[in-house]
Amino acid sequence: MRLVLLGAPGSGKGTQATRLKEHLQVPHISTGDLLRAEVAAGTPLGLQAKEVMARGDLVSDEILLGMLKERFSREDTQAGFILDGYPRNLAQAAALDELLASLGQKFDAAVQLVVDNEQIIERLAGRAKAEGRADDTPESVRHRLNVYDEKTAPVIDFYRQHGQLTVVDGVGSLDEVFARIVEAIQAGHEVG
Ligand code: AP5
């Protein structure tokens, strides 16, 4: 199964991807996690990305594509993948199609987790207290939501127009949301 998980910051992509990877037995590729690992390791790429991420802006398409190509060159992605945090703009959506085509692959489903902004702000405020992630400050969260509306929402529209989008309600317990995603991708698989 090749799955693209879409949704606003705090919609639960990472949380559900962790569960889905066990269920589907495929790797979870989170571009946010890949970038945070670079920041933590203090690599040149990490140093470049650090401030951009803390502000809640998007890191350059070029850096992201380089990281993604490297990750997809590894053997474990042959079995499938759950891509979380990419694509985030139309140029990245085109780059993903091209990358997958070059590998003779296509994704099976693009799943959007839908959560209202009020709940997102509450969730991320909770995580800020618990984990202190640099981009969970109120200003950065506001900015991330604006960036999502401006740059990432068109990707959702693009996949919808191409009949590739599955929309899932992301509000509820972790088990409820997980069950909805599994049901949605199974239904899509049977149809498609
Ligand atoms: P990234 O790490 O992708 O962050 P994000 O999209 O802002 O997503 P989050 O991790 O905040 O949320 P999530 O949807 O994964 O939710 P989660 O499961 O964690 O990106 C970070 C930054 O890296 C970007 O801003 C950008 O700078 C850069 N970047 C990454 N990819 C890029 C790209 N492609 N191009 C350019 N730049 C890129 O859950 C959030 C919280 O809610 C948690 O505390 C969780 O416990 C809680 N929660 C989850 N589900 C539920 C539920 N059902 N009920 C209650 N609480 C819940």
Side-chain angles (χ1 to χ4, degrees):
M1 170 67 74
R2 301 183 182 101
L3 198 63
V4 176
L5 265 190
L6 301 162
S11 57
K13 303 181 296 294
T15 304
Q16 294 299 333
T18 303
R19 297 172 148 230
L20 286 164
K21 105 177 164 179
E22 298 303 324
H23 182 74
L24 299 169
Q25 291 292 302
V26 294
H28 168 204
I29 303 175
S30 156
T31 49
D33 285 350
L34 291 174
L35 285 166
R36 278 185 288 277
E38 297 281 345
V39 171
T43 64
L45 192 159
L47 292 174
Q48 227 180 309
K50 188 175 177 181
E51 291 305 317
V52 180
M53 292 173 76
R55 275 201 311 271
D57 278 320
L58 296 185
V59 175
S60 82
D61 290 348
E62 199 188 344
I63 287 181
L64 264 294
L65 186 59
M67 268 181 16
L68 212 59
K69 279 186 173 162
E70 194 284 320
R71 185 63 188 86
F72 274 90
S73 71
R74 292 195 228 156
E75 188 68 25
D76 62 346
T77 57
Q78 290 294 320
F81 55 80
I82 301 157
L83 187 56
D84 155 18
Y86 193 99
R88 271 179 138 95
N89 59 32
L90 288 170
Q92 292 186 5
L96 177 63
D97 272 352
E98 242 176 70
L99 174 61
L100 292 178
S102 75
L103 299 168
Q105 298 181 4
K106 259 193 205 165
F107 62 79
D108 298 297
V111 174
Q112 179 198 9
L113 291 179
V114 178
V115 178
D116 57 89
N117 280 4
E118 205 178 312
Q119 174 130 190
I120 282 174
I121 290 165
E122 203 177 296
R123 286 182 185 182
L124 296 182
R127 188 172 65 187
K129 273 197 200 130
E131 296 175 25
R133 208 172 103 172
D135 59 350
D136 281 342
T137 60
E139 308 77 59
S140 184
V141 168
R142 260 197 308 276
H143 189 59
R144 283 156 68 201
L145 288 170
N146 288 337
V147 169
Y148 179 80
D149 286 343
E150 192 189 320
K151 308 250 167 78
T152 312
V155 175
I156 306 264
D157 292 339
F158 177 82
Y159 287 149
R160 182 181 291 113
Q161 281 158 17
H162 287 80
Q164 290 169 295
L165 187 72
T166 302
V167 179
V168 169
D169 179 4
V171 179
S173 71
L174 303 190
D175 285 346
E176 281 165 350
V177 177
F178 177 72
R180 283 180 208 140
I181 298 173
V182 169
E183 196 186 340
I185 57 183
Q186 273 169 356
H189 230 44
E190 280 158 25
V191 176

